Structures are given as structure tokens and as C-alpha cells.
Amino acid sequence: MTDKPNHLPERLALLADLNAARYLTDGLLSGKENAQAIALNKVTEPLPHDGESRAELAPVRDLIDDAMYKFRDDRPTNADAWLAPRLHAALRLTRREAADRRIWNYLALGVAPDYVVWRHLVAKSQGDAPKVAAARFRGPAYTQAFSRLWWAAELYRDGPDYGPVVTACGNQEMLNTALRMDVIEHRPTAQAMVRLIGRGTVTSTREAIAMAAAINASAATLMYDVVAPDAERDGKPLRQWIEEAESAPAVPRRDLPTGPYEEKTPERSVDVLVDHFAELFAEAPVRGRTDAEEETGAEV
């Protein structure tokens, strides 16, 4: 199995797509080889905030080590809900910084290729040799191993509260399907979806897929930001939170960290969408649900 890199610099870095592709060997993707850490670090670029403490590599690597240890006897998918909010709090990125794929390429190949293999090594079908999809190392935001966790934490957190992130990441389709939808950037929509999961209205991954599809289709005719307006966003709390990284303690392992002290999502807007989404879900076709259940909107 792929091991932890034998060479870890002091600082995080940027790794361009073309350079990342050079190190995505079949041996690495199958978990039989280690990443070429020394050679890889020779082609990286420094982060724009390289001089800040949030660019330190060790706290992020330690967090990943703890995730792998904590879930060593569990399903690796269960690590998502634990790691997502803590990775977000450790990196303290702006959305513009997080949109740069190069930082995620480096995290996957230069910092924790062993985690990517541990978390995403699967066989496509029975009889196939297990392999990691290359997009888990170098891919779009909703697929790449670490980017998907960061964006899930960013889009599902409710201001400083990471609790909704834990709920969302406990259902894989809130990562695999919902993160692809434009409407998820509307905070009341994201929080309403999480509420339906938290209340047990939506439980299985199939139900989450059906809910997401129904909500996305309804957005074509109903403007969610009009019927359920969000609070006006203020960038100051995020800037302060990032500046506080210089003196912040290590990300807590037992308790959830605290995010930027932004205003929470308006409760009334969330309530409006919870009711609307519940009605949509009750009528949504869910694969595997019986005809009787379809008629009543009952859960599988």
C-alpha cells in the first residue's frame, strides 16, 4: 500500500496540473507504489501566502494522520464527516484561493497520497483490481479527494457552525451529487437540504440523489434566492478569521472547530425551503422505493 511521503517540506505549495499528471503512475493509482516526493517537490511553486502560518504543512499532515488512525478499523467513507470541517479550519482559505486546483494537486500528491489511496482505492466491478481514479488526485472540485471536503465544509457550514457539514458529509451523495449543483451555493438551499437529512426525512444515498434532482429541477422555475433570501454577505469576518490563524491553536480533534463569525443563514428562509423541499421529495421517484411508498412519499 502507498506510504506517507518520505520527504515533507515545511510549507505547503502549488503543483500545476501538467506536473501532477507526470506523477500519476499506474503503480500509485493501484496503491503499489509511493509518490516520487523529492522529484515532485522540485517542480512546485510557493503559495501566495507562503510567509503565513496557514501555509505550514505539518498541521495539515498531522490532521490527516489522525483521520486515518481514527477510522483505521472503520469504513474510510466515514472519515469524510470528521475531516471536512477540520481541514477547512486548518487551511483557512478564501474561495479564490481554494479555486486554484494547484493547491489540491499538491495536497494529494505531495502531502498525503497515502490518504487518497486509503480513502478512494476501489474496484470498479467484481474481479477488477482495486484502483484510485486519477481525478481523486487531480480533478474537479467535487471529485478531488481534498477539494471536495473543503468545498463541502465551505458550502454546508452555517456561518461559524460546522455542525451541518458533519450531517451533510454523512451522506455520500451530498458530496458526490449536490456539490455539482449551482443551487448549493445558495445558503438557505444548502441548509434546508441538510435539515431534511438531519430530521430523517432523507436517509439513504438513493433518497439524497432523488432529493437533489428534484431541487435542481425545481430551481428552473422557482428562484430560491427570491422566496428564501440569504443575509447579505460581509467579507470582514472571513478576513479576521484568516488573520487569526497566526495565533490560533491546533484544530481540535474531539470538538468541532469554529469557522468565521459570519452571520448565520436566516431561519425563516431555511424553514420556507424545508417545507418546499419536503413536498418535492415526497413526489420524487426514488429507485428501489415501492409503488405504495411512492404514493405516500414514505421512506425506504
Side-chain angles (χ1 to χ4, degrees):
M1 189 68 75
T2 300
D3 292 328
K4 181 177 179 177
N6 56 16
H7 173 69
L8 289 171
E10 294 184 0
R11 319 294 290 179
L12 297 171
L14 302 174
L15 181 65
D17 276 350
L18 288 176
N19 289 327
R22 292 166 51 191
Y23 297 98
L24 287 177
T25 64
D26 286 339
L28 178 63
L29 295 177
S30 61
K32 297 176 182 178
E33 295 179 0
N34 296 327
Q36 300 175 41
I38 295 177
L40 182 149
N41 276 283
K42 290 180 180 179
V43 296
T44 60
E45 303 169 58
L47 290 170
H49 53 277
D50 183 61
E52 301 176 28
S53 62
R54 63 192 177 111
E56 294 176 0
L57 186 150
V60 178
R61 179 65 228 197
D62 290 345
L63 187 63
I64 293 167
D65 284 336
D66 289 346
M68 295 176 69
Y69 181 79
K70 181 178 179 65
F71 295 93
R72 65 193 182 282
D73 298 324
D74 206 342
R75 296 176 61 186
T77 53
N78 291 340
D80 291 347
W82 187 89
L83 184 56
R86 292 170 175 85
L87 180 69
H88 187 275
L91 292 173
R92 300 204 181 201
L93 301 172
T94 65
R95 288 193 178 189
R96 177 175 293 183
E97 290 168 339
D100 189 340
R101 287 169 49 134
R102 295 177 298 171
I103 189 172
W104 307 117
N105 291 343
Y106 185 71
L107 274 175
L109 281 161
V111 178
D114 52 325
Y115 170 86
V116 180
V117 171
W118 172 79
R119 170 61 183 83
H120 294 288
L121 186 68
V122 295
K124 289 185 177 180
S125 59
Q126 191 173 7
D128 287 350
K131 193 173 184 179
V132 179
R136 298 298 187 183
F137 284 96
R138 169 184 168 268
Y142 49 78
T143 301
Q144 204 273 350
F146 294 110
S147 179
R148 68 198 285 269
L149 297 180
W150 189 94
W151 282 104
E154 173 67 10
L155 295 172
Y156 293 127
R157 68 182 173 87
D158 191 9
D161 182 11
Y162 284 115
V165 179
V166 176
T167 301
C169 293
N171 187 305
Q172 284 297 301
E173 291 311 318
M174 293 294 282
L175 286 164
N176 298 334
T177 300
L179 277 188
R180 301 170 185 250
M181 300 171 7
D182 291 340
V183 293
I184 208 67
E185 295 188 25
H186 179 237
R187 292 199 307 164
T189 294
Q191 292 305 312
M193 293 176 72
V194 172
R195 292 274 180 91
L196 290 177
I197 292 174
R199 293 179 180 180
T201 304
V202 175
T203 55
S204 68
T205 55
R206 288 181 178 180
E207 290 177 350
I209 292 171
M211 173 184 67
I215 290 171
N216 207 37
S218 175
T221 56
L222 180 64
M223 299 181 68
Y224 297 150
D225 56 344
V226 174
V227 298
D230 194 1
E232 187 173 344
R233 303 297 294 273
D234 180 3
K236 186 177 180 180
L238 176 61
R239 291 193 298 271
Q240 290 179 335
W241 185 67
I242 289 174
E243 291 170 0
E244 290 168 359
E246 298 302 313
S247 58
V251 173
R253 269 44 172 182
R254 289 175 178 259
D255 300 324
L256 282 176
T258 301
Y261 281 99
E262 297 171 332
E263 186 173 349
K264 286 195 170 186
T265 313
E267 193 68 22
R268 181 180 178 282
S269 293
V270 178
D271 289 341
V272 166
L273 291 183
V274 165
D275 292 342
H276 178 62
F277 293 168
E279 292 177 3
L280 292 177
F281 174 69
E283 299 175 0
V286 178
R287 188 161 62 92
R289 192 157 70 181
T290 66
D291 292 340
E293 288 170 333
E294 291 286 2
E295 290 175 3
T296 62
E299 298 171 17
V300 175

